[in-house]
Amino acid sequence: QVQLVESGGGLVKPGGSLRLSCAASGFSFSDYYMSWIRQAPGKGLEWISYISSSDRSSTTTKYYADSVKGRFTISRDNAKNSLYLEMNSLRPEDTAVYYCARDDGSRIWDYWGQGALVTVSS
Amino acid sequence: DIQMTQSPSSLPASVGDRVTITCQASQDITVSLSWFQQKPGKAPKLLISDASDLAAGVPSRFSASGSGTDFSLTISSLQPEDIATYYCQQYDILPYTFGQGTKLEI
């Protein structure tokens, strides 16, 4: 069955960095677009980034929300069935649960991970 | 960015009630709309895509409709396990955006 498992969350100081991972199983990971969505404590959901599947030259397309553009980098390793989110220059407002989600091919997020909590605080 | 406005923000309801949540987009998104259910401490779960298509395994008491800017999600007979927060989300234009959520309460 499809499984997405995030890891790498934790407590980091403002200005610090963190790398989240999302391990995928139960489907052909390389064929799917993937996204990161976050949820601040007690708040709603915010899409932050997506990465396309790789084309024949292994090129991917990436998009970011303005709130993270220039600070966060999404990437994937199809050989490891893994999705990543490199987060730099972290701010207190980046404190959230971060979810990875699979795009079914029609921009619909049909499977989500359980989430990883990132806390940015001094 | 496309703004998604849900109403109400909270909805007191009883088991067996018919409940309807509405979602309005700030511009035409055709039918590029999903509905998600989220229970406390859990990841969101896809209920509906393309404005009215029930996701696999979702009970038939859930239905949805709409196109353009106005959408709705209906639960025909509320069950205890339906107590959750519901979000609409547009995927017509980046950045993909969510409504603020509707919390169903007993």
Side-chain angles (χ1 to χ4, degrees), chain A residues 39 45 99 107-109 113, chain B residues 38 42-43 87 91 96 98:
Chain A
Q39 186 171 36
L45 297 159
Y99 297 100
R107 298 166 292 162
I108 296 162
W109 300 314
Chain B
Q38 187 179 33
K42 300 294 186 182
Y87 294 92
Y91 48 89
Y96 304 137
F98 292 87

Side-chain angles (χ1 to χ4, degrees), chain A residues 35 37 39 43-47 50 63-66 99 103-104 106-110 112-115, chain B residues 1 32 34 36 38 41-46 49-50 87 89 91-100:
Chain A
S35 278
I37 299 118
Q39 186 171 36
K43 302 296 184 183
L45 297 159
E46 179 190 17
W47 168 83
Y50 93 64
Y63 284 98
Y64 300 92
D66 286 346
Y99 297 100
D103 178 328
D104 75 346
S106 303
R107 298 166 292 162
I108 296 162
W109 300 314
D110 56 354
W112 295 57
Q114 85 289 351
Chain B
D1 298 1
S32 300
S34 289
F36 294 92
Q38 187 179 33
K42 300 294 186 182
K45 173 188 173 183
L46 178 67
S49 61
D50 290 341
Y87 294 92
Q89 177 251 329
Y91 48 89
D92 189 57
I93 295 175
L94 284 166
Y96 304 137
T97 47
F98 292 87
Q100 80 279 14

Side-chain angles (χ1 to χ4, degrees), chain A residues 59-74:
Chain A
T59 301
T60 56
T61 300
K62 305 172 185 180
Y63 284 98
Y64 300 92
D66 286 346
S67 58
V68 305
K69 198 174 295 182
R71 300 187 299 123
F72 290 12
T73 301
I74 191 171

Side-chain angles (χ1 to χ4, degrees), chain B residues 5-12 21 84-86 100-105:
Chain B
T5 304
Q6 285 182 239
S7 61
S9 296
S10 65
L11 181 55
I21 300 166
T85 299
Y86 292 82
Q100 80 279 14
T102 295
K103 186 174 183 180
L104 289 190
E105 302 170 318

Side-chain angles (χ1 to χ4, degrees), chain B:
Chain B
D1 298 1
I2 296 177
Q3 307 302 315
M4 306 299 292
T5 304
Q6 285 182 239
S7 61
S9 296
S10 65
L11 181 55
S14 301
V15 173
D17 283 355
R18 180 182 180 89
V19 301
T20 297
I21 300 166
T22 63
C23 176
Q24 186 168 60
S26 60
Q27 65 187 72
D28 189 340
I29 58 169
T30 62
V31 292
S32 300
L33 185 104
S34 289
W35 288 96
F36 294 92
Q37 175 194 66
Q38 187 179 33
K39 296 181 180 180
K42 300 294 186 182
K45 173 188 173 183
L46 178 67
L47 296 178
I48 300 282
S49 61
D50 290 341
S52 61
D53 292 347
L54 209 63
V58 175
S60 58
R61 63 180 179 272
F62 290 90
S63 64
S65 64
S67 66
T69 61
D70 294 304
F71 303 88
S72 64
L73 172 72
T74 296
I75 308 172
S76 60
S77 178
L78 190 70
Q79 299 302 300
E81 60 267 31
D82 300 334
I83 297 304
T85 299
Y86 292 82
Y87 294 92
C88 62
Q89 177 251 329
Q90 68 81 18
Y91 48 89
D92 189 57
I93 295 175
L94 284 166
Y96 304 137
T97 47
F98 292 87
Q100 80 279 14
T102 295
K103 186 174 183 180
L104 289 190
E105 302 170 318
I106 294 290

Side-chain angles (χ1 to χ4, degrees), chain A residues 27-94:
Chain A
F27 66 101
S28 181
F29 177 73
S30 60
D31 291 340
Y32 286 82
Y33 285 41
M34 299 292 295
S35 278
W36 288 99
I37 299 118
R38 69 182 179 184
Q39 186 171 36
K43 302 296 184 183
L45 297 159
E46 179 190 17
W47 168 83
I48 56 172
S49 184
Y50 93 64
I51 186 167
S52 68
S53 53
S54 306
D55 64 15
R56 290 183 180 181
S57 62
S58 300
T59 301
T60 56
T61 300
K62 305 172 185 180
Y63 284 98
Y64 300 92
D66 286 346
S67 58
V68 305
K69 198 174 295 182
R71 300 187 299 123
F72 290 12
T73 301
I74 191 171
S75 63
R76 64 191 300 158
D77 185 337
N78 292 333
K80 295 183 178 180
N81 289 335
S82 291
L83 175 73
Y84 305 103
L85 186 69
E86 188 76 40
M87 302 183 292
N88 297 317
S89 303
L90 283 161
R91 306 166 179 166
E93 56 264 35
D94 295 319

